[in-house]
Amino acid sequence: MAYRTTVVEVGPDAPAFLEEKMAITFSGDAPEALRSYCFLIDSAELTAPLGLGMPVRIGEQEWIITALGDLAEKNLANLGHVTLVFDGEEEPRMPGAIHLGGVEETPALALGAELVFGNDQ
């Protein structure tokens, strides 16, 4: 397992982003301009590198990383901040994005949901 955390707060506008197949995470204090759009997560330590094909569990759903932006791993490690994009694309649309594929339903991000990058061990 590379990273395990839990959603501790959901901004009022975050569910609308999910409908667009995107979610923004932050641990700690998200900037006020973004806070209402964020899924705030517990601080956690990144213990292994992220990689293409890595499993990502959100609640009971299993996703797979299909693309990683150049800053995604650094931002996740330092700020708990990434933009999850649920489109299965193979090229990242922005430096802090992690693209995920494999599930054809709304991502299970919600208050109390566990978010795990890597195998659940």
Side-chain angles (χ1 to χ4, degrees):
M1 174 191 52
Y3 192 85
R4 178 192 303 263
T5 188
T6 303
V7 177
V8 295
E9 184 180 328
V10 178
D13 298 312
F17 259 53
L18 274 185
E19 291 176 16
E20 301 297 320
K21 298 196 178 286
M22 289 181 36
I24 300 169
T25 68
F26 258 103
S27 63
D29 291 327
E32 280 306 313
L34 290 178
R35 192 174 184 92
S36 71
Y37 299 99
C38 291
F39 289 88
L40 299 173
I41 57 176
D42 272 334
S43 292
E45 183 181 349
L46 183 64
T47 59
L50 301 179
L52 299 180
M54 176 180 272
V56 176
R57 184 173 58 77
I58 301 172
E60 298 301 315
Q61 297 174 335
E62 289 286 338
W63 299 81
I64 298 292
I65 295 177
T66 59
L68 277 171
D70 293 340
L71 297 177
E73 188 173 297
K74 178 182 174 188
N75 287 349
L76 182 63
N78 294 335
L79 304 168
H81 170 53
V82 291
T83 300
L84 301 173
V85 185
F86 302 93
D87 62 3
E89 291 293 321
E90 295 180 2
E91 291 293 324
R93 73 167 67 161
M94 59 191 117
I98 298 175
H99 291 255
L100 302 170
V103 178
E104 295 297 324
E105 57 188 282
T106 302
L109 280 167
L111 186 63
E114 191 171 53
L115 175 62
V116 179
F117 288 83
N119 290 320
D120 222 351
Q121 300 173 19

